[in-house]
Amino acid sequence: MKTVFHYVKRYKFAAIIAFTLMIVELLSEIVQPLLMARMINEGLLTKDIHSIGFWGAWLFILTLLSFLSGVMNSFFSAHVAQGFSYDVRKALYTKIQSFTMATYLTFPTSALITRLTSDVNQVQSIIFMMLRIALKAPLLAIGSLAMAFIVNAKMAFILCVSVPFLVVFLVWMIAKGIALFARVQSRLDSVNKRLQESLQAVRLIKAYMRGSYEESRFWQVAESLKVDTVRATRLMELALPVLQLVMNMSLLVVIWLGAKQIAANEILAGDLVAVINYAFRMTSAFSMFSFIIVVYARAKASAERIEEVLVIENGTEEIGQELPKLNDFAIQFDNVTFAYPNTDKTVLKSVSFSVQAGEKIAIMGATGSGKTTILQLIEHFYTATSGSVRINDVPIKHVPLQQLRNSIAYVPQQSLLFSGTIFENLRWGQRGASVEEMIMATTKAQIHASIERFEHGYETMIGQKGVNLSGGQKQRLAIARALLKKSPLLLLDDSTSALDVETERKLWCALDEENMTMLVVTQKIQTAKTADRILLLDNGQVVGFAPHDELLQTNELYKQIAASQSEVR
């Protein structure tokens, strides 16, 4: 938890002010019962109006001071807590953005969302509580007990007897609560995961009329969350009744003993009132504990989950010195074997090939043959298990990551667009692009005419993930965004699957004019035949690497693919 609470240091000045104000509020509350005793003993019992007014005025001043200190304490405590949560969220998001793909795969997306939202909220709450009442509660209990001893040691001793039992009980409750609420947060991850899946697949669910089935799956994880939350909350709710029972029994004994002492003229009524007030304050302090236990248990579990992300080893991606600007982009795979992290299945097996600068290479093969994996190794999302990937004869691990990815324009299988205007989406990868450059890119991507037909043109708002666009429009916008980057290498991962034949033909004609290296993953012979060479994969191995005409004559697998698409002439 040290890593998480390290972010409070930035607000230590405000935290010190909040702590000081809390001490002022505490001292004001502790002194008040003594003033009550004085007002009763020296004023009410002797019928001295002057003493009643004098001590009453001081009691009013202390009450007002306590009120103002409490208000100001809340202000500074909230400032610290809100600032802390902002910094932790920013640190978490920055850390997640720096993850290698291998590290990213160790956390489900839903778990990362929960850490950034619910977990941070839980820790934020305990920061506020610590500065507002969590530190005040034990000091109030100890101070009230000490003052009770000053007033009357015999009655204070009765209150003291119950304290060890209450301390042991609270420690046990905290230990149990931490374990239970860690399980609750894990259940919340599962709920978020199921909700995320169902919302992303809402069209498919409706198309297959599987709403009832998905509801039942959601109810299962929601039921598990409810059961664990109820179990944890019920245990925590035991704290307050137990604390109040013990303290009220002690209070009854104090009242009984105090009445006997007053009858024997051993103490004054004001002293009994003061001790009773201190007993009530102790009860209030222990009641705070019952609430603090719940918050602390959840916060500790959440802080550990946050720290898990912040301290995780993320590998080294920036290695070597800056290379000359990559105006040309040649690629070499030398006996590359690769398996994804935490899996036993080898995706690529001793893959070797070379791509010269400016070449257009089509990559073909069955599903799972390793086409996308090759692109991800070139992006250095992952490191080869064995063998070497080289860029311009330099091992990729020696190319600084920022320089490498700045030199690559990438369009994934799923065209990902962001909420915002078309204009903002196009400039997402090249912030300084001019309007003329954007129009040139969209024209080459065969989407400019479609944008012009929209009511608001380039200022048209795009819904989340481009929900208000067709599949072909999303693909062409994603390609235009990549072209706008003007990188020496363009990677297209089956990015034209939703385009009609004529639109795709015009697109490839436009791309032929680009002076860049291109790797295009495709399933279409019509697309592959326009490439300089075709890299044919089967079960993670290279089974062919040649132009279309040569493969058609010499490669049986390619012949079968071509025949299945009626491309044999």
Side-chain angles (χ1 to χ4, degrees):
M1 293 175 62
K2 289 182 180 179
T3 303
V4 175
F5 286 101
H6 169 78
Y7 291 91
V8 179
K9 287 185 178 180
R10 181 180 173 186
Y11 305 95
K12 61 182 178 181
F13 182 69
I16 291 171
I17 294 176
F19 180 77
T20 303
L21 290 167
M22 183 269 292
I23 294 296
V24 172
E25 182 185 17
L26 174 67
L27 292 175
S28 300
E29 290 185 13
I30 288 177
V31 173
Q32 286 175 26
L34 280 181
L35 299 183
M36 291 180 189
R38 288 291 187 92
M39 190 164 61
I40 293 171
N41 293 338
E42 298 177 13
L44 292 177
L45 295 181
T46 61
K47 299 181 181 180
D48 185 347
I49 299 299
H50 175 72
S51 292
I52 293 174
F54 177 77
W55 294 115
W58 274 108
L59 188 61
F60 174 77
I61 291 171
L62 283 180
T63 302
L64 182 61
L65 179 62
S66 176
F67 169 75
L68 293 176
S69 299
V71 171
M72 293 301 294
N73 171 272
S74 295
F75 172 81
F76 283 100
S77 298
H79 172 71
V80 174
Q82 293 294 334
F84 163 84
S85 67
Y86 169 77
D87 288 346
V88 170
R89 280 198 177 95
K90 185 167 68 172
L92 276 172
Y93 190 80
T94 301
K95 181 74 174 185
I96 292 168
Q97 290 297 317
S98 74
F99 278 178
T100 62
M101 290 301 295
T103 304
Y104 184 80
L105 291 176
T106 62
F107 296 96
T109 303
S110 57
L112 293 175
I113 292 173
T114 305
R115 283 164 169 80
L116 276 162
T117 53
S118 175
D119 285 330
V120 173
N121 287 340
Q122 297 299 337
V123 182
Q124 173 190 316
S125 296
I126 197 60
I127 294 292
F128 178 81
M129 299 285 291
M130 285 174 65
L131 294 172
R132 186 68 192 100
I133 64 172
L135 294 175
K136 178 184 174 183
L139 294 175
L140 180 60
I142 294 169
S144 297
L145 185 60
M147 294 299 290
F149 269 103
I150 293 173
V151 175
N152 188 290
K154 191 173 182 179
M155 288 188 290
F157 181 76
I158 297 171
L159 296 176
C160 189
V161 169
S162 62
V163 172
F165 167 78
L166 294 177
V167 171
V168 172
F169 174 72
L170 288 172
V171 170
W172 177 81
M173 288 289 288
I174 290 172
K176 292 289 290 183
I178 290 171
L180 288 171
F181 282 113
R183 186 177 177 86
V184 167
Q185 292 303 104
S186 178
R187 294 294 191 190
L188 185 59
D189 285 348
S190 299
V191 170
N192 285 340
K193 180 180 179 180
R194 186 74 71 221
L195 183 61
Q196 184 183 21
E197 287 178 350
S198 61
L199 292 178
Q200 287 177 339
V202 62
R203 291 181 178 176
L204 187 63
I205 293 169
K206 289 183 177 297
Y208 279 80
M209 296 297 290
R210 298 292 281 170
S212 298
Y213 173 70
E214 288 300 321
E215 285 176 11
S216 66
R217 294 179 72 209
F218 181 79
W219 290 340
Q220 288 176 5
V221 294
E223 175 72 16
S224 298
L225 174 62
K226 183 194 79 171
V227 169
D228 284 339
T229 304
V230 169
R231 184 181 294 120
T233 306
R234 281 177 178 172
L235 178 64
M236 294 297 104
E237 289 299 323
L238 284 176
L240 182 59
V242 171
L243 292 172
Q244 289 185 334
L245 174 64
V246 174
M247 288 304 301
N248 286 337
M249 288 177 63
S250 301
L251 186 58
L252 287 174
V253 176
V254 167
I255 294 172
W256 174 76
L257 180 62
K260 290 184 65 176
Q261 288 183 322
I262 289 174
N265 291 320
E266 295 178 4
I267 62 169
L268 297 174
D271 294 341
L272 177 60
V273 170
V275 173
I276 291 173
N277 265 274
Y278 285 126
F280 276 126
R281 278 165 168 73
M282 288 180 66
T283 303
S284 173
F286 281 112
S287 297
M288 290 180 199
F289 280 133
S290 66
F291 179 63
I292 293 168
I293 285 171
V294 177
V295 178
Y296 176 77
R298 300 193 74 159
K300 188 174 187 302
S302 293
E304 289 171 352
R305 285 159 51 84
I306 293 170
E307 187 154 358
E308 185 183 4
V309 175
L310 291 176
V311 303
I312 191 170
E313 291 293 332
N314 196 31
T316 303
E317 293 187 317
E318 293 286 346
I319 304 175
Q321 297 181 351
E322 190 81 5
L323 299 179
K325 187 174 181 182
L326 297 174
N327 294 319
D328 296 320
F329 212 105
I331 304 163
Q332 300 88 35
F333 272 55
D334 183 15
N335 203 31
V336 171
T337 297
F338 177 74
Y340 283 101
N342 304 316
T343 64
D344 298 325
K345 184 180 179 181
T346 301
V347 182
L348 297 179
K349 306 167 187 175
S350 301
V351 170
S352 297
F353 65 90
S354 295
V355 178
Q356 298 176 7
E359 265 197 299
K360 178 182 176 183
I361 303 298
I363 305 176
M364 298 189 71
T367 301
S369 60
K371 303 184 298 296
T372 297
T373 302
I374 285 177
L375 302 190
Q376 292 182 337
L377 290 176
I378 294 171
E379 284 266 26
H380 207 182
F381 288 153
Y382 303 97
T383 300
T385 307
S386 65
S388 173
V389 179
R390 303 173 71 85
I391 305 298
N392 294 351
D393 290 325
V394 178
I396 196 169
K397 65 180 181 180
H398 292 158
V399 182
L401 188 66
Q402 185 172 1
Q403 183 186 18
L404 175 70
R405 292 187 183 160
N406 281 340
S407 303
I408 300 174
Y410 174 57
V411 183
Q413 287 176 318
Q414 249 186 334
S415 300
L416 297 176
L417 301 175
F418 299 90
S419 298
T421 64
I422 291 176
F423 179 85
E424 291 167 340
N425 269 272
L426 287 170
R427 293 188 67 184
W428 186 80
Q430 187 70 19
R431 303 305 299 170
S434 65
V435 174
E436 291 76 15
E437 289 173 323
M438 280 190 290
I439 292 175
M440 186 179 298
T442 54
T443 301
K444 289 179 179 179
Q446 310 303 308
I447 188 64
H448 174 67
S450 297
I451 296 173
E452 289 290 288
R453 286 195 291 270
F454 293 147
E455 182 179 355
H456 301 291
Y458 282 82
E459 294 299 328
T460 299
M461 290 295 297
I462 296 177
Q464 187 179 27
K465 292 188 176 182
V467 67
N468 53 335
L469 299 177
S470 70
Q473 288 172 332
K474 286 189 285 188
Q475 286 187 339
R476 284 176 286 162
L477 272 177
I479 292 171
R481 180 173 61 195
L483 291 176
L484 198 59
K485 194 175 178 182
K486 298 180 180 178
S487 301
L489 175 64
L490 176 63
L491 304 179
L492 300 178
D493 191 357
D494 203 12
S495 308
T496 61
S497 56
L499 303 187
D500 62 80
V501 174
E502 182 60 21
T503 301
E504 186 173 1
R505 185 189 65 78
K506 292 179 180 178
L507 172 64
W508 293 126
C509 288
L511 291 180
D512 282 339
E513 300 173 3
E514 296 292 313
N515 182 25
M516 60 172 61
T517 306
M518 292 175 56
L519 268 67
V520 180
V521 172
T522 183
Q523 300 288 354
K524 302 176 184 177
I525 292 291
Q526 188 65 36
T527 300
K529 67 190 298 185
T530 64
D532 297 317
R533 286 187 290 172
I534 300 165
L535 181 67
L536 187 61
L537 300 174
D538 185 32
N539 195 28
Q541 295 178 302
V542 176
V543 294
F545 190 34
H548 166 76
D549 292 337
E550 183 177 334
L551 286 179
L552 204 57
Q553 297 297 322
T554 61
N555 192 288
E556 282 300 321
L557 177 60
Y558 191 74
K559 287 180 184 179
Q560 293 173 13
I561 297 173
S564 68
Q565 297 183 29
S566 301
E567 285 294 330
V568 175
R569 293 289 183 261

